[in-house]
Amino acid sequence: METKNDTSRVRIQSPILSGLLYAFIIMSIAAIITSLILMLTDQKEDALPAYAYIIHTISLCLGGWVAGRKAEMKGWYYGGILGLVYSVIIIMIGFLGFDKGFDLNTILFSAASFFIGALGGIIGVNTHK
């Protein structure tokens, strides 16, 4: 008699949720590495906004890639929606945690998030087996 043990694996079926999970994991790891670099070297904190935008770009692109790869079609759509959801979460964290207001930079960040996520989704669909 054969028994299969598939209960140990958790699979997220939604392309957007799996892309968000990957994006936030990558963002967390990159933020920790950036913090360690700032702490252990004599690097100044003046370059921190540039590092933050680089981290967001990488995590959005890879999250969009995962979403597009999982969706297998309409990668730009799933990647773009992922970018919008990601930007809304980041804006909400900034508003609730740091009292950051809503201005032109938040609109530009949301638009850039959409396009970067869409680009990752396009790449993800085209790298599917």
Side-chain angles (χ1 to χ4, degrees):
M1 177 166 27
E2 270 183 59
T3 59
K4 290 187 178 182
N5 190 6
D6 288 337
T7 59
S8 64
R9 291 181 52 174
V10 175
R11 298 185 130 237
I12 300 174
Q13 296 298 324
S14 171
I16 295 172
L17 287 179
S18 62
L20 273 175
L21 180 67
Y22 276 87
F24 279 110
I25 288 173
I26 291 166
M27 182 187 65
S28 300
I29 291 170
I32 290 170
I33 290 171
T34 303
S35 297
L36 288 174
I37 288 171
L38 287 174
M39 184 178 73
L40 298 175
T41 64
D42 57 349
Q43 183 75 26
K44 301 292 181 193
E45 292 180 1
D46 296 339
L48 198 55
Y51 292 151
Y53 284 119
I54 291 169
I55 290 170
H56 287 306
T57 301
I58 292 169
S59 63
L60 273 169
C61 194
L62 291 175
W65 179 77
V66 169
R69 188 170 168 93
K70 192 167 203 63
E72 298 179 359
M73 62 180 183
K74 295 184 184 179
W76 69 271
Y77 175 77
Y78 287 104
I81 296 297
L82 169 107
L84 288 177
V85 171
Y86 181 92
S87 68
V88 165
I89 292 171
I90 296 298
I91 290 168
M92 283 177 50
I93 290 170
F95 177 74
L96 295 173
F98 302 105
D99 201 27
K100 173 87 169 91
F102 192 77
D103 57 357
L104 181 63
N105 286 335
T106 57
I107 295 170
L108 292 176
F109 176 71
S110 296
S113 297
F114 175 82
F115 288 115
I116 293 169
L119 177 67
I122 291 168
I123 295 170
V125 165
N126 290 320
T127 59
H128 193 268
K129 296 177 185 175

